[in-house]
Amino acid sequence: MKSEGRRRHRGEGEHSIRRPKGAQTFRRGRALEFYRQLEMKRSTLKQQLESTELQSIHSVIAGELKATEAIMNDFVGLFQLNELLEETKPTEED
């Protein structure tokens, strides 16, 4: 039964499920950064849709915009970023 006591002493028992938050925080930060890149891409695509020079490829740009927004929605759901995105949104004061 020595190994059982050793496990409890090291924090590996059934009551100790704590894990360091550093890696999770780092991954969430990287996920947020990737999401910000997707936001920039979406913004660029919206600007391109308004451009008269790009009217000939309007449908292609609209398709890319729709796909980018779908990826963004999936990404938020997959990585549970709703709360983090709300916390980091700049407040609009008019």
Side-chain angles (χ1 to χ4, degrees), residues 13-77:
E14 63 187 24
H15 297 290
S16 180
I17 311 173
R18 295 181 189 165
R19 293 184 181 193
K21 298 273 184 188
Q24 181 180 2
T25 303
F26 177 73
R27 285 190 301 271
R28 283 200 158 204
R30 291 183 72 177
L32 277 174
E33 179 57 32
F34 182 70
Y35 185 81
R36 299 287 184 233
Q37 291 175 5
L38 289 172
E39 286 182 322
M40 291 292 290
K41 180 174 177 124
R42 178 178 61 185
S43 176
T44 301
L45 289 168
K46 284 182 176 183
Q47 288 174 357
Q48 290 174 348
L49 277 177
E50 296 170 1
S51 171
T52 55
E53 296 99 20
L54 299 174
Q55 280 298 329
S56 61
I57 58 169
H58 185 272
S59 61
V60 173
I61 296 170
E64 284 189 37
L65 177 60
K66 189 173 181 178
T68 300
E69 289 176 340
I71 291 168
M72 291 172 75
N73 291 335
D74 291 346
F75 196 78
V76 167

